[in-house]
Amino acid sequence: MLRTLTHLLSLIRFSHTLFALPFALMSAVMAWWLTAGLTWGGDVVLYNSYVGIGSWTIPIPSALANLLLPLSGMESGSEVTIADRLTAFYHAIRWQEVLGILLCMVFARSAAMAFNRLVDRKIDAGNPRTAGRHIPAGILSVGAVTAFTITCAFAFIAGTLLFLPNKLPLYLSVPVLAFLCGYSLTKRFTSLAHFWLGAALALSPIAAWIAIRGEAVMANPFDLMPAVVLGGAVLAWVAGFDMLYACQDFEFDRDAKLHSIPVRLGIRGALRLAAACHAATVLLLAALPVVYPPLGGIYYLGVVAVAGLLAYEHWLVRPDDLARVNTAFFHVNAVISIGMLVITLVDLIIV
């Protein structure tokens, strides 16, 4: 049983959960911090200033708030120390939400990855690069992987109960899971499969925000804007690096009549589009403080670092040299996701 479990974790590449999980936690940190800022001392805190549009409100940057506050008659919140911020942040966190995010992320991804291995088992068997995967190689049976997929799917749905009394995660769990699993079928009919994968991972910060601030989102849809911008950055980031990864299968996909950007545009065209996607990632990350004013200078240093890492990723992968795709795919991207989580947390605490 232990050996089977080890094979199952290897099947879904459990370690690759690090790609999306840090962005879900980053969104959660932002949501908790917003809650902490709004409730801290009962005051209106300057960096959580809002402006009304009819019955809706939207967050505005501190610089603009300084101009609007005198006109609105509001008073800015008092200055707080780092210890005060940490205390407020700690009290804003519901630890069952932390557990819920971790469990839902792990089980949703595991279900989607196992489903992918099931529906692609014949394709994998014909591709020399993937013929050694667990099902084609006979290491795991179709029945075992099917049972694992179903178990993870139900565990994901059950995990959403940890967010009660917020029922939105439970209501949205089945549509989200269907969308995640749907990616596995897309390369059979569209070259935009990479963007579907990006959208699937982009759901992680959006879902985490809804899980924490469901009531606020229902009352004011603009409350979701920071998670949407962050999700857009994740979408462009994932779509870009998935195009790089798909370049390895260019010849096989073309011969098997599978759809991908490398097959559609050629390897050089795919690399150019991937670079454009990653440029969009940097721009969206840079735009995040516009809709989430608490982020400041330290965060922008993190965005600059991400730009450098993405440039390095594209330097590693060239049309005539794909040998270092795995280094670009696994190592650089893990640093980006974990790094942005850490940078965001440090920025909120210190600035």
Side-chain angles (χ1 to χ4, degrees):
M1 183 176 292
L2 180 61
R3 182 165 51 192
T4 299
L5 178 60
T6 301
H7 287 320
L8 286 169
L9 293 178
S10 176
L11 170 88
I12 62 171
R13 298 195 173 184
F14 182 76
S15 60
H16 295 178
T17 305
L18 288 176
F19 289 168
L21 179 58
F23 281 108
L25 292 175
M26 176 179 167
S27 179
V29 164
M30 292 163 56
W32 287 320
W33 193 266
L34 186 60
T35 301
L38 287 172
T39 59
W40 175 254
D43 296 326
V44 178
V45 180
L46 183 59
Y47 55 62
N48 282 330
S49 298
Y50 283 74
V51 63
I53 299 180
S55 60
W56 289 350
T57 59
I58 59 174
I60 57 176
S62 298
L64 183 57
N66 284 328
L67 298 176
L68 294 178
L69 282 174
L71 300 176
S72 66
M74 295 168 56
E75 295 183 359
S76 63
S78 57
E79 293 293 327
V80 293
T81 65
I82 291 177
D84 291 333
R85 292 174 183 173
L86 284 171
T87 301
F89 180 57
Y90 176 81
H91 288 295
I93 297 174
R94 292 176 68 222
W95 293 103
Q96 71 187 63
E97 292 175 343
V98 179
L99 180 61
I101 290 172
L102 294 175
L103 291 179
C104 286
M105 284 294 301
V106 168
F107 285 124
R109 184 188 176 279
S110 298
M113 278 293 294
F115 181 78
N116 176 270
R117 295 297 187 252
L118 280 172
V119 299
D120 277 0
R121 61 186 185 275
K122 293 182 180 179
I123 295 175
D124 288 343
N127 186 342
R129 187 180 66 83
T130 58
R133 286 178 175 173
H134 296 72
I135 298 179
I139 299 172
L140 288 171
S141 68
V142 171
V145 177
T146 300
F148 179 75
T149 304
I150 294 172
T151 300
C152 288
F154 277 106
F156 165 67
I157 296 171
T160 63
L161 298 176
L162 289 168
F163 299 107
L164 291 174
N166 180 6
K167 296 180 181 179
L168 281 177
L170 177 61
Y171 295 156
L172 296 173
S173 59
V174 173
V176 165
L177 194 59
F179 187 84
L180 296 180
C181 291
Y183 157 72
S184 298
L185 306 175
T186 53
K187 61 186 174 184
R188 292 162 172 81
F189 60 86
T190 177
S191 299
L192 301 179
H194 315 282
F195 292 97
W196 190 302
L197 179 63
L201 269 69
L203 288 176
S204 57
I206 295 173
W209 187 280
I210 291 173
I212 294 169
R213 294 183 57 80
E215 185 175 340
V217 171
M218 290 294 291
N220 171 26
F222 276 112
D223 188 86
L224 188 60
M225 189 59 67
V228 170
V229 174
L230 180 58
V234 172
L235 189 160
W237 172 60
V238 172
F241 74 64
D242 192 56
M243 290 177 207
L244 299 180
Y245 194 68
C247 287
Q248 298 178 105
D249 294 328
F250 167 71
E251 293 182 0
F252 175 80
D253 288 348
R254 181 190 58 193
D255 295 341
K257 300 188 183 306
L258 295 173
H259 298 270
S260 73
I261 292 297
V263 170
R264 183 70 177 269
L265 302 179
I267 292 180
R268 288 186 182 276
L271 295 183
R272 292 192 189 99
L273 184 54
C277 287
H278 286 158
T281 298
V282 174
L283 291 175
L284 286 167
L285 288 176
L288 185 57
V290 175
V291 294
Y292 190 79
L295 294 174
I298 294 177
Y299 171 82
Y300 277 116
L301 290 176
V303 174
V304 172
V306 168
L309 286 168
L310 289 174
Y312 172 66
E313 185 171 271
H314 285 271
W315 177 80
L316 285 174
V317 182
R318 302 174 186 178
D320 57 349
D321 182 9
L322 300 176
R324 292 179 290 184
V325 166
N326 286 336
T327 299
F329 185 80
F330 302 122
H331 300 164
V332 177
N333 290 316
V335 171
I336 288 174
S337 59
I338 297 173
M340 285 307 300
L341 169 62
V342 173
I343 286 292
T344 297
L345 188 57
V346 171
D347 180 279
L348 291 174
I349 293 174
I350 294 179
V351 176

